[in-house]
Amino acid sequence: MGSVSKLCGLSPAVCPQLDCHHRLENNAWVQLTLRGKETMHKVLCLTVLLFSLLVLPRAQAGDPATWVNANMESLVKLYIHFHENPELSFQEEKTSQRFAEELEKIGCQVTQNFGGYGVVGIMENGAGPVVMLRADLDGLPVTERTGRPYASQIQVEGESGGMVGVMHACGHDIHMTNLLGTAQYLAAHKDQWQGTLMLIGQPAEERGSGAVAMIDAGLFEKFKKPDVCLAIHCAAGIPSGKIALRGGFMMANVDSVDVTFYGRGGHGAYPHTTVDPIVEAAKFVLDVQTMVSREIKPTEPAVITVGSIHAGTKHNIIPDDCHLQLTVRSYADDVRVKLLEGIKRKARAAALSVGAKEPLIKVSEGTPSLANDEDLVARLNPVFKKALADKDVLVADQVMGGEDFSQFGRQGGMPTLLFWVGAVNQDRLSRYGKMGLPIPSLHSAEFYPDTEPVLTTGITAMASAVLDLMPRQ
Ligand SMILES: [Zn+2]
Ligand SMILES: [Zn+2]
């Protein structure tokens, strides 16, 4: 018995012998084996060494997850740059500049200032499908309270005067880094795919108008029209390491409605000489909810929220008017129309009931609902499961939030897919659970993604999808 030292050059990770001990000497792995098993061990080790030299490098060289981990330092640096320098919607000048520079570095033909601060990067790699990847560029007027060393210190003048903090509270900094990382990976592995990649930096997503601005500027005419469009969004409630997707409706139609009720002002002690717009508005606020409970099919999602109501100056003065702001959410287009028409009817009815004149109603159409293409989801689900793991690909919940990524598929007519990438590690999620606190949501001043696992998962999933959609012929 007794043990001998053998140099075989293998790390413990690939050594096949369970009872073998390893230690590092002069940068080489030394194996301590039992003498009786020495020959068999030598054969086994040599076989594994040969396998690892000939087969593994080929399998792993093209593996997105391995690539992401090898390039993590520069990816995190890029993420921190975007995070430290957020810009509001319609003001993404420097963000788009950096985004464009990164695309130029990897050999894309880049067009800037396309539909506002939109960026289009084209990477040609022979004949084949055109696949569009989209990231959004804008931050939010939120003063960051994450306590991160790289927390945003940026402040700008707010719309109503005064300074406001700016923060990537919706994770668009992760989306940009994810897209650029995926593009870097694909640029470095052009032998593994073919076709044309269209890499989009979209402005003003938070205002629901950047996608339309780029489409209206001729995105699908001046460049090749994509066959497929993909995007990610990080998700505050999904653990990092996991993604979530579903076919069909996933996000809602989003519309805003402004209603002004007109009354006749006067003394609060003499209501009979006035027409009270506050009572008029109060009737409307309650009555409009019966749209959802009585007029829309119970299995169809619909939300009407009165988010703001303003009138009056003092206890004993009945004001002349009352102004309300509503957000209206739905999935189906016919439900959307029904809700918007119904709101107008209910507002007129409230005015009529108190003998007031016609209210002023302004509908601002926002983003249309987002439905992922069923066939595309069916195709990519197994691809994601292979690239990540079965347990890491979840079925996404339907939510009533909106995303103007929906515009690309709606207007272009091609299949599209937006999938969620889990943003917060399980430990942190559990800690919130134990404290009985809700997890900070997207748009919260306390929301931050756990950068490294989110980038690993997001880039691995996105790159694997592209490799599947753009196979080498
Ligand atoms: Zn957002
Ligand atoms: Zn967002």
Side-chain angles (χ1 to χ4, degrees):
M1 298 295 279
S3 59
V4 292
S5 294
K6 288 283 165 194
L7 287 174
C8 83
L10 287 179
S11 90
V14 291
C15 176
Q17 197 146 313
L18 289 175
D19 60 353
C20 174
H21 302 282
H22 297 80
R23 63 191 158 82
L24 200 57
E25 272 180 18
N26 301 326
N27 291 327
W29 284 103
V30 175
Q31 291 187 328
L32 301 172
T33 65
L34 299 177
R35 197 183 287 276
K37 295 179 182 172
E38 199 181 323
T39 311
M40 195 179 81
H41 187 189
K42 209 183 269 175
V43 172
L44 265 170
C45 281
L46 280 173
T47 312
V48 172
L49 182 62
L50 212 61
F51 178 78
S52 65
L53 284 175
L54 297 176
V55 182
L56 280 185
R58 260 193 227 166
Q60 290 183 356
D63 172 45
T66 308
W67 181 91
V68 178
N69 287 328
N71 291 276
M72 189 56 85
E73 205 181 317
S74 70
L75 291 167
V76 169
K77 223 165 132 188
L78 184 60
Y79 165 77
I80 289 175
H81 170 81
F82 287 131
H83 190 86
E84 285 178 333
N85 297 283
E87 293 172 297
L88 292 177
S89 309
F90 303 113
Q91 300 174 20
E92 309 93 336
E93 186 179 359
K94 294 197 183 89
T95 307
S96 68
Q97 180 65 38
R98 177 65 188 264
F99 189 87
E101 281 165 16
E102 292 295 325
L103 290 176
E104 265 160 14
K105 263 193 231 169
I106 53 168
C108 290
Q109 298 157 264
V110 179
T111 306
Q112 284 182 254
N113 302 322
F114 192 83
Y117 286 117
V119 181
V120 183
I122 300 290
M123 198 190 296
E124 303 264 12
N125 191 21
V130 183
V131 173
M132 186 184 113
L133 308 182
R134 171 277 212 173
D136 30 15
L137 306 174
D138 50 339
L140 285 160
V142 173
T143 303
E144 181 160 354
R145 292 197 314 270
T146 60
R148 301 278 88 195
Y150 50 83
S152 164
Q153 306 295 322
I154 303 288
Q155 294 210 325
V156 296
E157 202 172 319
E159 277 177 6
S160 46
M163 299 303 280
V164 290
V166 185
M167 174 188 175
H168 269 299
C170 203
H172 297 185
D173 43 1
I174 276 284
H175 305 173
M176 286 185 268
T177 315
N178 189 88
L179 185 145
L180 292 169
T182 304
Q184 287 169 10
Y185 168 80
L186 292 165
H189 296 87
K190 277 189 158 176
D191 58 329
Q192 293 188 25
W193 58 279
Q194 71 181 60
T196 302
L197 264 181
M198 195 168 170
L199 304 157
I200 301 288
Q202 182 213 301
E205 188 283 326
E206 295 292 353
R207 303 292 284 268
S209 50
V212 166
M214 293 189 80
I215 295 164
D216 289 350
L219 183 65
F220 297 146
E221 294 83 35
K222 295 188 178 154
F223 303 93
K224 284 183 187 170
K225 190 170 168 184
D227 298 300
V228 177
C229 302
L230 301 177
I232 64 156
H233 205 299
C234 57
I238 298 175
S240 54
K242 296 184 189 295
I243 65 165
L245 66 159
R246 71 180 302 128
F249 287 124
M250 193 167 83
M251 298 180 84
N253 290 311
V254 178
D255 296 295
S256 300
V257 183
D258 284 72
V259 182
T260 306
F261 288 111
Y262 299 107
R264 188 171 60 244
H267 201 298
Y270 309 101
H272 57 291
T273 65
T274 72
V275 175
D276 189 340
I278 293 182
V279 172
E280 190 182 344
K283 278 175 185 286
F284 168 78
V285 170
L286 291 180
D287 192 28
V288 79
Q289 292 304 329
T290 63
M291 285 289 309
V292 176
S293 67
R294 302 292 83 184
E295 296 186 38
I296 303 297
K297 198 172 160 189
T299 49
E300 281 287 349
V303 176
I304 300 174
T305 293
V306 179
S308 133
I309 175 163
H310 288 98
T313 52
K314 196 174 180 300
H315 307 69
N316 60 356
I317 300 173
I318 291 171
D320 281 325
D321 49 44
C322 182
H323 182 69
L324 290 80
Q325 293 179 306
L326 286 68
T327 189
V328 184
R329 313 280 169 129
S330 56
Y331 279 150
D333 288 349
D334 60 332
V335 173
R336 181 186 203 184
V337 171
K338 204 167 176 181
L339 288 172
L340 295 175
E341 289 307 312
I343 287 167
K344 290 179 196 163
R345 174 165 46 83
K346 295 286 189 191
R348 287 192 204 106
L352 197 64
S353 74
V354 296
K357 71 171 187 178
E358 280 261 315
L360 182 70
I361 304 161
K362 193 175 145 243
V363 176
S364 314
E365 286 194 10
T367 54
S369 56
L370 183 145
N372 287 326
D373 184 81
E374 303 269 9
D375 293 342
L376 187 57
V377 170
R379 173 172 178 167
L380 291 181
N381 238 322
V383 175
F384 290 141
K385 285 182 176 173
K386 194 171 163 210
L388 304 171
D390 269 21
K391 66 172 179 40
D392 292 334
V393 181
L394 311 176
V395 178
D397 284 338
Q398 292 180 309
V399 294
M400 299 309 278
E403 239 290 354
D404 75 347
F405 176 68
S406 58
Q407 296 280 13
F408 294 108
R410 288 249 183 177
Q411 301 208 27
M414 71 289 284
T416 60
L417 167 64
L418 180 141
F419 59 94
W420 299 105
V421 178
V424 179
N425 71 54
Q426 187 59 58
D427 281 355
R428 197 146 62 94
L429 289 176
S430 305
R431 240 181 294 144
Y432 279 103
K434 276 183 204 144
M435 290 188 289
L437 295 172
I439 301 142
S441 63
L442 296 174
H443 291 204
S444 158
E446 293 172 12
F447 166 76
Y448 69 90
D450 289 299
T451 318
E452 295 193 13
V454 180
L455 289 174
T456 303
T457 308
I459 296 171
T460 301
M462 189 66 104
S464 305
V466 171
L467 292 179
D468 183 77
L469 294 166
M470 308 178 83
R472 196 85 198 154
Q473 299 300 329

